[in-house]
C-alpha cells in the first residue's frame, strides 16, 4: 500500500467543486451533476470498507456524474489520511435498450441482503473491470423463457491488487437473476480467480472458467466459488415479510459447488404506523466443516493455496472473513420526511479456529458491536452521524474496542 505524506486541504476540493458546478449550472443543457462529500470516523469498525489499517479515517472527495444520450459515467476522486488520491467509483458505460457494457472501478454488492454478500461485497476496494449487463424486465412471450419471468445477467473480468503472490491476478464474475413468481427472485453466482504472474492468462484458461474444468490439467490453479440465493416476500399486504438467503461453495465437486458458507435473513416492514419501521434478523456463517472425504475444513472460506480471496489484502466477501459467525438484529425508522434512524446490534465470533494466519485477528475473538445512526436529507444536502460501540479487538486488522463516532455529508450541485 502506498502512502502520501502531503495533505490536501479540504478547501482545495471545495473550490474545485464550486468551479465545476458553476459551469454546469449555467450550461444550456445540464447533463452533469456533482457531489462533494466528506467523511470522518473516529474508529475502524469491522464492517466498514477497510481502505486503511489506521484506526481513524478522514476522507474527502467529489464525484462528477454525467449522462449524455447513451453514454453514462462517473469521475470520482477521493483522498484520505493514508493514501494518494484514488479513483474508486469511476466508470464509463455505453447502453442500448436493455444492454450495457463499460469499464471502471464499480462497487458491486451481489446479494438480496442489503447488509451482506458472501461472494462479492463492497467490503474491499473495487477491482478495475470490463463488464457487460443485459436485462429484460418483461415476461417473455416465448413459452420456455416465460417460466423464468423477468431476468438479468452481469458478467465482468478485472484485475486484483494484493501484497501476496501471484501479482496482478484476475477476477471473473457472473451473476444471473430470475423472477419466476411474483414475489420470488432467485440468483445464481460465480466468481473465478485466474492468471497473474506465473500462470496462464490465455484463451485456454478463460475457456476453463466457463466449462468448470479447473481441478486438473494446466489450468488447475484457477480458484472458483459459486452458489445461489433467493428472496421471497410473503403475500401479507399489511405487514410484508421478506425472507432471503445466500449459499456459496468454496470448492468444486462434480462441476458443482461444495463446502458451503451460508447467509439467512428475514425482514419485516410496517408502513402503516406513524413512524414507518422495518426490523430484520440476519445470520452469516463462514465456518466450513470437513466433508465426507476430508476436503475443506476450518479456514477454507476465502482461502486458497494460490489465490487469497482479497483485493488490497481485504476480503471481497463477507466482512467477518473466514471461519466466523455473525448474528445481527437491525432496523430503521422514518422519523419524518427528511430524517431517518437506523440501529443495529450484532454478536460476532471471528477466527473460531484460532488460526494465527487469519486476516483480522490471530486469536478467537468474540463480542458485540452496536450502532445507531441518524441521516438528515434536505434538498440536495445529506448529513449522517453515527455512534457505535465494539467490545472486542481484532489485532491483525488494527481494529480496537471502545466507543466511536462517524460523520459524513454530501452536497449535490
Amino acid at each position: 500500500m502506498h502512502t502520501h505524506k502531503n495533505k490536501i486541504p479540504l478547501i482545495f476540493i471545495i473550490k474545485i467543486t464550486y468551479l465545476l458546478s458553476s459551469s454546469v449550472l449555467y450550461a444550456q443543457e445540464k447533463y452533469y451533476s456533482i457531489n462533494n462529500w466528506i467523511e470522518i470516523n473516529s474508529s475502524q469498525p469491522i464492517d466498514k470498507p477497510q481502505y486503511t489499517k489506521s484506526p481513524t479515517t478522514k476522507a474527502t472527495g467529489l464525484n462528477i456524474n454525467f449522462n449524455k444520450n447513451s453514454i453514462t459515467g462517473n469521475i470520482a476522486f477521493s483522498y484520505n489520511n493514508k493514501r494518494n488520491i484514488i479513483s474508486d467509483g469511476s466508470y464509463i458505460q455505453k447502453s442500448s435498450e436493455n444492454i450495457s457494457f463499460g469499464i471502471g472501478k464499480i462497487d458491486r454488492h451481489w446479494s438480496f441482503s442489503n447488509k451482506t454478500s458472501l461472494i462479492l461485497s463492497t467490503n474491499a476496494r473495487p477491482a478495475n473491470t470490463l463488464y457487460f449487463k443485459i436485462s429484460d424486465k418483461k415476461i417473455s412471450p416465448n413459452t420456455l423463457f416465460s417460466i423464468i419471468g423477468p431476468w438479468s445477467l452481469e458478467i465482468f473480468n478485472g484485475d486484483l491488487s494484493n501484497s501476496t503472490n501471484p501479482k496482478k491476478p484476475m477476477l471473473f464474475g457472473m451473476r444471473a437473476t430470475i423472477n419466476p413468481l411474483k414475489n420470488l427472485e432467485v440468483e445464481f453466482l460465480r466468481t473465478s480467480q485466474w492468471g497473474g504472474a506465473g500462470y496462464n492468462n490465455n484463451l485456454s484458461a478463460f475457456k476453463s472458467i466457463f466449462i468448470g474444468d479447473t481441478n486438473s490439467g494446466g489450468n488447475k490453479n484457477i480458484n472458483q466459488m459459486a452458489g445461489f440465493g433467493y428472496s421471497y416476500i410473503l403475500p401479507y399486504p399489511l405487514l410484508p415479510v421478506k425472507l432471503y438467503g445466500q449459499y456459496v461453495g468454496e470448492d468444486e465437486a462434480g462441476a458443482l459447488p461444495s463446502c458451503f458458507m451460508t447467509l439467512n435473513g428475514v425482514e419485516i416492514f410496517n408502513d402503516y404506523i406513524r413512524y414507518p419501521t422495518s426490523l430484520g434478523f440476519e445470520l452469516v456463517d463462514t465456518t466450513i466443516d470437513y466433508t465426507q472425504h476430508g476436503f475443506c475444513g476450518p479456514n477454507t472460506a476465502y482461502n486458497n493455496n494460490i489465490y487469497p480471496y482479497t483485493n488490497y489484502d481485504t476480503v471481497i466477501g463477507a466482512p467477518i472473513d473466514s471461519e466466523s459467525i455473525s448474528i445481527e438484529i437491525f432496523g430503521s425508522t422514518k422519523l419524518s420526511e427528511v430524517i431517518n434512524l437506523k440501529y443495529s446490534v450484532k454478536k460476532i465470533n471471528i477466527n473460531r479456529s484460532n488460526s494465527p494466519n487469519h486476516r483480522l485477528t490471530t486469536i478467537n475473538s468474540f463480542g458485540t458491536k452496536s450502532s445507531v445512526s441518524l441521516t438528515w436529507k434536505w434538498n440536495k444536502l445529506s448529513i449522517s452521524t453515527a455512534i457505535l460501540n465494539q467490545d472486542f479487538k481484532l489485532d491483525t486488522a488494527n481494529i480496537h474496542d471502545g466507543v466511536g463516532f462517524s460523520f459524513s455529508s454530501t452536497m449535490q450541485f
Side-chain angles (χ1 to χ4, degrees), residues 189-394:
L189 318 106
R190 189 176 185 181
T191 59
S192 303
Q193 291 169 281
W194 66 292
Y199 295 98
N200 290 336
N201 297 302
N202 54 26
L203 186 60
S204 171
F206 196 68
K207 179 182 176 182
S208 293
I209 293 172
F210 278 95
I211 64 177
D213 182 21
T214 60
N215 278 340
S216 61
N219 296 315
K220 64 181 180 181
N221 61 287
I222 296 174
N223 177 44
Q224 299 200 78
M225 292 174 58
F228 64 96
Y230 77 94
S231 171
Y232 181 66
I233 299 178
L234 299 176
Y236 302 143
L238 296 180
L239 192 65
V241 177
K242 174 185 174 182
L243 304 175
Y244 61 88
Q246 190 175 68
Y247 313 95
V248 173
E250 177 63 57
D251 197 24
E252 179 186 328
L256 294 174
S258 65
C259 305
F260 280 90
M261 300 174 280
T262 61
L263 181 160
N264 292 283
V266 58
E267 198 166 358
I268 302 172
F269 306 89
N270 191 339
D271 294 332
Y272 295 94
I273 57 178
R274 180 177 180 182
Y275 303 111
T277 297
S278 67
L279 294 172
F281 172 86
E282 184 169 288
L283 171 63
V284 181
D285 188 350
T286 62
T287 62
I288 297 176
D289 294 327
Y290 287 106
T291 60
Q292 181 179 359
H293 300 288
F295 296 107
C296 297
N299 299 300
T300 298
Y302 305 132
N303 289 308
N304 177 267
N305 58 357
I306 296 175
Y307 302 105
Y309 199 66
T310 60
N311 194 29
Y312 291 93
D313 301 322
T314 300
V315 69
I316 300 170
I320 58 175
D321 211 311
S322 183
E323 199 65 20
S324 304
I325 292 178
S326 73
I327 301 173
E328 181 179 13
I329 298 174
F330 59 91
S332 67
T333 299
K334 189 176 182 181
L335 300 178
S336 72
E337 291 300 318
V338 296
I339 300 176
N340 193 55
L341 178 69
K342 291 185 178 182
Y343 32 91
S344 166
V345 177
K346 184 184 295 186
K347 282 287 187 181
I348 306 176
N349 191 187
I350 308 291
N351 191 11
R352 300 178 70 207
S353 62
N354 269 303
S355 170
N357 299 317
H358 198 278
R359 281 179 287 265
L360 296 177
T361 176
T362 57
I363 60 173
N364 186 351
S365 297
F366 178 82
T368 303
K369 175 187 173 293
S370 55
S371 64
V372 177
S373 67
L374 197 66
T375 300
W376 176 73
K377 293 183 178 181
W378 182 73
N379 289 338
K380 297 182 179 181
L381 173 65
S382 174
I383 296 176
S384 296
T385 60
I387 299 175
L388 63 91
N389 181 63
Q390 188 166 296
D391 62 8
F392 58 96
K393 301 178 182 178
L394 300 174

Side-chain angles (χ1 to χ4, degrees), residues 68-192:
K68 180 67 172 178
N69 297 329
S70 60
I71 303 294
T72 60
N74 184 57
I75 301 172
F77 301 98
S78 62
Y79 177 84
N80 66 25
N81 56 328
K82 289 291 180 179
R83 291 189 178 276
N84 294 320
I85 293 178
I86 57 177
S87 59
D88 294 356
S90 298
Y91 72 94
I92 185 168
Q93 175 178 292
K94 168 72 174 177
S95 301
S96 176
E97 295 183 351
N98 62 340
I99 299 175
S100 301
F101 57 92
I103 182 172
K105 297 183 177 181
I106 298 177
D107 274 323
R108 291 178 171 88
H109 179 87
W110 282 3
S111 175
F112 292 124
S113 163
N114 294 322
K115 311 286 290 185
T116 316
S117 172
L118 294 174
I119 195 167
L120 192 60
S121 73
T122 59
N123 186 57
R125 292 178 57 185
N128 192 28
T129 59
L130 286 167
Y131 62 90
F132 167 82
K133 296 188 289 186
I134 182 171
S135 63
D136 191 346
K137 297 181 180 180
K138 299 179 181 179
I139 298 177
S140 173
N142 184 294
T143 304
L144 179 62
F145 286 97
S146 65
I147 298 174
I148 67 175
W151 59 274
S152 69
L153 174 66
E154 180 178 8
I155 301 174
F156 74 83
N157 191 67
D159 57 335
L160 302 174
S161 180
N162 291 299
S163 62
T164 57
N165 291 322
K167 299 300 182 183
K168 293 296 181 181
M170 287 183 282
L171 178 69
F172 172 86
M174 182 162 53
R175 183 193 191 211
T177 66
I178 60 175
N179 193 179
L181 300 175
K182 180 179 180 181
N183 295 327
L184 175 65
E185 290 183 276
V186 181
E187 62 179 350
F188 302 94
L189 318 106
R190 189 176 185 181
T191 59
S192 303

